[in-house]
Amino acid sequence: MIGTGLIPETYTFNLLMFALCDAGRAEDAQSPFDRMHVKGCSPNEYSFGISVRGYCGAGLVDKSFELIDEMKRFTFSPNAIVYNSLILRFCKEG
């Protein structure tokens, strides 16, 4: 889409990020998240939730905490998805 000159909306970026995370490619989902800023969109609470869920699912809890810190810059508070993702990961790790 970007290559053809169409500017995707946040919703479109979120769908792509969700699909990548579901496919076990959480680190690849960082690229659309970063491009969202450049293309005039802004991540929303769902964007952060998708990314945190993906990183937790991949065992990358440190990356999740980095995103939670970044959420604060956007004046978002972690929501149930974020907390549930972290709790699930911690339970899996014992």
Side-chain angles (χ1 to χ4, degrees):
M1 287 179 75
I2 293 170
T4 62
L6 295 172
I7 306 293
E9 295 182 17
T10 301
Y11 177 79
T12 308
F13 280 107
N14 286 349
L15 288 174
L16 176 58
M17 290 166 36
F18 187 87
L20 288 168
C21 289
D22 253 14
R25 298 174 53 191
E27 290 183 319
D28 292 334
Q30 184 65 41
S31 178
F33 187 85
D34 293 339
R35 285 181 162 210
M36 207 181 303
H37 301 288
V38 176
K39 297 298 175 186
C41 298
S42 333
N44 57 24
E45 290 177 273
Y46 299 107
S47 309
F48 284 101
I50 291 165
S51 295
V52 168
R53 179 180 160 267
Y55 282 135
C56 284
L60 303 169
V61 177
D62 290 342
K63 291 259 191 190
S64 296
F65 282 118
E66 289 174 20
L67 282 174
I68 291 169
D69 287 339
E70 190 173 344
M71 283 180 85
K72 295 173 187 171
R73 287 188 316 140
F74 286 88
T75 65
F76 296 136
S77 297
N79 57 23
I81 293 170
V82 171
Y83 286 125
N84 286 340
S85 299
L86 289 168
I87 291 167
L88 178 63
R89 187 71 227 170
F90 291 145
C91 289
K92 285 182 178 180
E93 290 180 7

